[in-house]
Amino acid sequence: MIRVVLPPHLRTLAGVAGEVALEVADPATRDAVLDALEARYPMLCGTIRDRTTGERRPFIRFFACREDRTFDARDAPLPEGVRSRREPLLVVAALAGG
């Protein structure tokens, strides 16, 4: 199981409160987690990553074990802290403005 924390607007869209726990086969990668998340909550398809390319949407960031993992390879294994359920994978909606 992988723990995932979504930003408030995506929690509302998915109808969940708090963390989401997902069953993800080893090796647990960011894409595998997003595949499981979108399978369980189809209303999230296209909100975190592009439906066609699978690339991360602008202004979405990923953090794990207190580190920015946004630019890690999509198929790179998640950190041990996330795989062991000690830490969640955080999906963060970045803010922009001027």
Side-chain angles (χ1 to χ4, degrees), residues 58-79:
F59 303 110
I60 294 289
R61 309 285 296 209
F62 301 100
F63 289 85
C65 301
R66 298 179 188 90
E67 292 184 18
D68 187 347
R69 300 293 182 154
T70 303
F71 300 104
D72 289 359
R74 295 169 25 189
D75 60 351
L78 292 172

Side-chain angles (χ1 to χ4, degrees), residues 8-59:
H9 69 287
L10 294 182
R11 285 196 308 263
T12 299
L13 183 61
V16 298
E19 292 181 353
V20 174
L22 301 168
E23 190 70 40
V24 179
D26 284 332
T29 65
R30 185 174 77 206
D31 267 4
V33 170
L34 294 178
D35 288 344
L37 184 67
E38 291 172 349
R40 187 162 168 197
Y41 303 101
M43 67 286 289
L44 295 179
C45 288
T47 61
I48 298 172
R49 58 185 177 172
D50 184 270
R51 288 179 190 235
T52 305
T53 65
E55 293 294 323
R56 169 187 66 89
R57 289 264 180 217
F59 303 110

